[in-house]
Amino acid sequence: MSNNMDLGYEMFCYQCEQTANGKGCTRLGVCGKTPEIANLQDLLIFQLKGISCYGKVLIEKGQHIDKDIVRFVENCLFTTLTNVNFDADVHVSLLRESQQIKEKLREVVGEIKNHTLHATYNLPETKSEMLKDAPLAGIMYEKSLDPDIRSLRQTIVYGLKGISAYGHQTRELGYFSDQVDDFYITALEATTDDSLTVEELIRMTMRTGENALEVMKKLDEANTETYGNPSPHKVDVHIKKGPFIIVSGHDLKDLEMLLEQSKGKGINVYTHGEMLPCHGYDGLKKYPHLIGNFGGAWQDQQKQFDNIPGCILMTTNCLMRPRDSYKDRIYSTNVVGWEGVKHIGKKENGDKDFSEIIQQAIELGGFKEDVEPHEILVGFGHHATLSYADKIVEAVKSGKVRHFFLIGGCDGARPGRNYYTEFAENVPKDCIIMTLACGKYRFNKLEFGDIDGLPRLLDIGQCNDVYSAICIAVALADAFDTDVNGLPLSLIVSWYEQKAVADLLALLSLGIKNIYLGPTLPAFLSPNVLQYLSETFGLRPISNAEDDLKTCLKQNV
C-alpha cells in the first residue's frame, strides 16, 4: 500500500501560511502539531467525508441533516484547524464517534452510488491501528491525482474549516444557517467525487466563498442581537494592579460567562488577540472589570504569558505550545486543547463553571502596580462606520479623503510581516485605513490622527468581520453609484490559517478584484489554480510596501 512513509515523510500538512519551506510540513508542524496528531486529523477529515457521502443522499431527498450530526462535523472541522487542538485522546474519541455516526447513516440511507473508500472504510478500534490506516487519508496518498483537482479539493476543505470556526461561534449563541449546515455535507462529499471536473470544483470553491459570507452574516446577526452593535470605545492596552484573567481566542459567549461569574470578586479581565473587539459591544463592556487588552497577536503569547502572575483562558485558536512557566495556569475550553492543559467543558444545561480559573487567579495575586494607561480606539463595525457615511462621502467628494485601505487579516511569526506595518505607516494622511483580525496588532498602537473628525484608523473587528468590511464597501459603492471594484479602495490582506482562506473565498465569490495577499501565497494552490485566480480576480502577491502603495494610489488617477 502506498502511504506517507513511502513518500519519505511522517506527515504532510500545508494548510497554513507558515508551512515548512513554503511547501509542506513533513516531520513536525511549524504550529507544534506532531505527526501523530497530523495523521489522526487526516483520518478524522477522511471520516467526515465518508459521513457526508451518506448525508448527501438525504439532502438530495430534500431533508436537512440532523443538527447533532452537523454540530459534530462542524466541531471536527474546527478541531483540525491550525492551532486549535493538539490532544491525541480528543482526536481518538472524535474518530470513534465518527464511525458510530457513519454506521447509523449507512443503516438509514442504505446503498449509495458513491463507492469511494471514504464511505466504505471502517475505522479500527485502537489508536495504534488508526495510525496504521491514517496514511490512506493523507493529502498526497493518491500520487497520480491531477494536481489541480487536489489543489481545489484542499482549498474547499480549508474553506470549510474556516467556515466551521465561524459556525461554531454562531451556534454557541443559539443561531445557525440551514444553508451552511447542508453545505458542510455537500462540499465534503464533492471532494470525494472523482467524476467532478476542474471547472465543477472551481464552482464548488466559489460556493464555499458564498457560504463563508453566509456564515459571517449569521455570526454578525448572532453577535449584534445578543450584545448590541459595536460602537467606538477606547481600550487601555496597559496593565492594572490586581488579580487577573486573560481571555484569548474569538468566542464572545465564553467571555460573557466568565465576566458574569467573576464580577465582584476583585478580578481584572483582559482581552487578548482577537478578543480585543469585544470592548465595542455594550453587552460586554457593561462589566466594569473588563478593563483592557493584554499583549498583542497570538504568535507572541509564549513570550507574553511567560511567568505571568495570573491565568489565561483559550476559547478558540490560536493556541501555541504552552511553556512550563505558565502551563499550570492556562485553561482551554470549547474544541481547544493541549495534552496536560486543564479543560473547562460544558455542563448539561450548556453553562460552564469557571470557578477553578477564578480561584487560581485570586491566589496568584496578579500584577503589583498599575502602568500608566495607553488607549486605542475599537468598535467600528458596519453599523458604527456607516453612521458616518454622509460625512465620509462628503470627505471623498471634497477631496479630503483620497483613498481607503483595508489592511488586516491573520498575523503570524514568519519574517516579512513587517510589510504591513510599513504599509500602514506610509499611507498618506489624506487616506483612511480600515483594519480587522489580529493583523491589526502590527500597527494599531500607532497614532494616525483624523480627517475632519474621522479617525484615520478604523478597527472593524475580528476576522469574521470581513462581513462588516463588505457591508461598508457595498454601502459606499451605492453612494457613489458604482460597484466595490470601482471604489478608491485597496485590500491588503495577510493570511495565516483557514479562517483567512474562508474570508478570501468570500471576497472572491463577490467578484472583488485586485486583492494583495501575503506574506506568501498558499502552498496548496497549484500553478494552474493560482493562474486562474490571478487572471480572473487579479489576485496578486505582495511585493514591497512602497511599490504596492504607489500602485494602489494610481487607481485615483
Side-chain angles (χ1 to χ4, degrees):
M1 181 176 68
S2 173
N3 59 41
N4 288 351
M5 309 310 171
D6 294 340
L7 294 172
Y9 48 68
E10 299 172 12
M11 59 177 280
F12 187 85
C13 182
Y14 60 2
Q15 68 179 5
C16 84
E17 192 273 333
Q18 293 183 178
T19 195
N21 301 314
K23 295 180 179 179
C25 294
T26 59
R27 301 295 179 189
L28 182 71
V30 172
C31 63
K33 182 166 58 177
T34 63
E36 179 184 61
I37 297 297
N39 287 307
L40 290 173
Q41 289 188 349
D42 286 346
L43 194 56
L44 185 55
I45 295 297
F46 188 85
Q47 282 285 85
L48 296 185
K49 291 178 180 180
I51 288 169
S52 297
C53 290
Y54 294 98
K56 171 78 175 303
V57 176
L58 298 177
I59 291 174
E60 288 175 337
K61 292 180 179 179
Q63 301 177 35
H64 289 304
I65 301 301
D66 182 278
K67 292 304 179 187
D68 286 339
I69 294 177
V70 173
R71 183 186 292 273
F72 176 79
V73 169
E74 186 174 73
N75 284 353
C76 288
L77 285 166
F78 192 11
T79 297
T80 66
L81 190 146
T82 302
N83 288 99
V84 175
N85 196 295
F86 302 82
D87 191 324
D89 290 343
V90 169
H91 289 82
V92 169
S93 176
L94 290 172
L95 279 161
R96 288 176 177 147
E97 188 174 354
S98 74
Q99 184 63 27
Q100 293 170 3
I101 292 172
K102 189 196 284 188
E103 289 172 0
K104 287 179 182 177
L105 284 173
R106 276 180 186 156
E107 293 176 8
V108 172
V109 174
E111 184 70 17
I112 61 175
K113 295 178 182 178
N114 188 351
H115 291 110
T116 175
L117 185 59
H118 304 84
T120 59
Y121 172 77
N122 289 311
L123 186 81
E125 183 60 29
T126 67
K127 182 173 74 170
S128 62
E129 291 173 316
M130 292 177 192
L131 288 168
K132 286 179 183 178
D133 283 356
L136 65 85
I139 295 166
M140 297 298 179
Y141 176 65
E142 297 179 78
K143 288 187 278 189
S144 62
L145 184 65
D146 183 313
D148 299 331
I149 296 287
R150 178 183 284 114
S151 175
L152 290 165
R153 285 177 174 179
Q154 291 307 123
T155 302
I156 291 165
V157 169
Y158 299 152
L160 291 173
K161 290 188 180 190
I163 290 171
S164 75
Y166 300 146
H168 179 275
Q169 287 176 256
T170 305
R171 212 175 302 273
E172 287 295 295
L173 293 173
Y175 293 70
F176 60 88
S177 163
D178 282 329
Q179 173 188 318
V180 174
D181 289 354
D182 289 348
F183 186 73
Y184 287 133
I185 305 302
T186 303
L188 282 168
E189 191 275 340
T191 66
T192 74
D193 189 346
D194 291 333
S195 72
L196 295 184
T197 64
V198 166
E199 290 73 21
E200 288 171 319
L201 285 172
I202 286 173
R203 287 197 289 272
M204 183 60 73
T205 303
M206 290 302 104
R207 285 186 61 195
T208 306
E210 292 166 6
N211 280 274
L213 185 61
E214 169 66 17
V215 78
M216 287 190 282
K217 179 181 178 182
K218 185 60 68 171
L219 178 54
D220 180 83
E221 176 187 336
N223 284 339
T224 56
E225 290 189 359
T226 305
Y227 302 109
N229 282 296
S231 58
H233 183 70
K234 289 184 177 180
V235 181
D236 187 7
V237 294
H238 286 170
I239 60 176
K240 297 283 188 183
K241 180 180 178 180
F244 66 91
I245 297 172
I246 296 166
V247 184
S248 190
H250 306 74
D251 198 284
L252 276 61
K253 180 66 175 177
D254 284 324
L255 176 61
E256 179 192 26
M257 286 191 286
L258 177 67
L259 288 167
E260 183 64 29
Q261 292 179 34
S262 60
K263 65 182 181 182
K265 297 186 177 180
I267 289 179
N268 296 324
V269 175
Y270 299 91
T271 55
H272 173 266
E274 283 270 60
M275 296 298 281
L276 170 62
C278 293
H279 293 273
Y281 292 93
D282 285 341
L284 297 171
K285 65 187 181 186
K286 69 181 182 182
Y287 292 96
H289 61 303
L290 179 63
I291 63 162
N293 188 74
F294 178 90
W298 66 271
Q299 75 275 4
D300 295 326
Q301 66 186 257
Q302 290 174 319
K303 178 175 62 178
Q304 293 175 345
F305 294 165
D306 196 33
N307 282 309
I308 58 170
C311 293
I312 309 112
L313 176 66
M314 300 296 302
T315 67
T316 60
N317 67 317
C318 293
L319 172 65
M320 298 177 72
R321 176 188 292 275
R323 291 181 177 175
D324 290 341
S325 63
Y326 63 86
K327 192 173 183 180
D328 65 336
R329 61 198 66 182
I330 187 169
Y331 294 71
S332 65
T333 191
N334 288 323
V335 300
V336 189
W338 194 290
E339 186 177 1
V341 166
K342 289 168 280 192
H343 187 80
I344 300 172
K346 274 186 180 180
K347 296 189 286 187
E348 286 189 10
N349 64 359
D351 290 340
K352 297 180 182 180
D353 182 0
F354 291 106
S355 58
E356 184 178 354
I357 188 173
I358 291 169
Q359 184 58 38
Q360 187 178 14
I362 293 171
E363 291 171 357
L364 285 168
F367 296 118
K368 300 302 181 186
E369 56 186 27
D370 293 343
V371 173
E372 185 177 348
H374 176 74
E375 294 182 327
I376 60 174
L377 193 60
V378 303
F380 286 95
H382 59 91
H383 183 270
T385 300
L386 291 177
S387 69
Y388 294 91
D390 292 343
K391 195 170 184 178
I392 292 172
V393 170
E394 179 56 34
V396 173
K397 289 182 176 178
S398 67
K400 291 179 179 177
V401 172
R402 178 169 37 145
H403 202 88
F404 297 89
F405 292 93
L406 176 66
I407 310 173
C410 298
D411 203 2
R414 183 192 293 275
R417 288 181 179 264
N418 56 323
Y419 165 95
Y420 297 95
T421 309
E422 293 171 8
F423 198 106
E425 288 176 327
N426 286 289
V427 166
K429 296 190 184 302
D430 59 354
C431 301
I432 287 178
I433 299 170
M434 296 183 289
T435 191
L436 49 77
C438 58
K440 70 168 74 70
Y441 285 103
R442 291 279 165 176
F443 49 82
N444 70 336
K445 294 174 186 176
L446 303 177
E447 296 293 338
F448 288 94
D450 64 83
I451 301 173
D452 275 6
L454 290 170
R456 285 191 58 236
L457 180 66
L458 303 177
D459 185 344
I460 296 173
Q462 295 182 336
C463 48
N464 52 278
D465 288 308
V466 162
Y467 174 73
S468 265
I470 291 169
C471 289
I472 294 165
V474 169
L476 291 176
D478 289 344
F480 289 106
D481 195 25
T482 184
D483 60 14
V484 172
N485 292 319
L487 287 172
L489 167 68
S490 298
L491 281 71
I492 317 298
V493 178
S494 57
W495 82 284
Y496 170 67
E497 38 85 325
Q498 297 81 67
K499 294 199 300 298
V501 176
D503 294 346
L504 177 64
L505 294 180
L507 294 169
L508 297 181
S509 74
L510 291 169
I512 294 175
K513 296 184 176 181
N514 301 319
I515 298 170
Y516 288 79
L517 183 65
T520 60
L521 296 179
F524 53 82
L525 294 180
S526 67
N528 288 335
V529 171
L530 186 57
Q531 183 179 0
Y532 169 81
L533 295 176
S534 177
E535 291 177 352
T536 307
F537 300 103
L539 184 69
R540 62 186 74 184
I542 62 172
S543 59
N544 65 76
E546 183 179 358
D547 288 345
D548 288 349
L549 183 56
K550 287 178 181 177
T551 303
C552 292
L553 291 172
K554 285 179 182 177
Q555 285 182 240
N556 296 87
V557 178

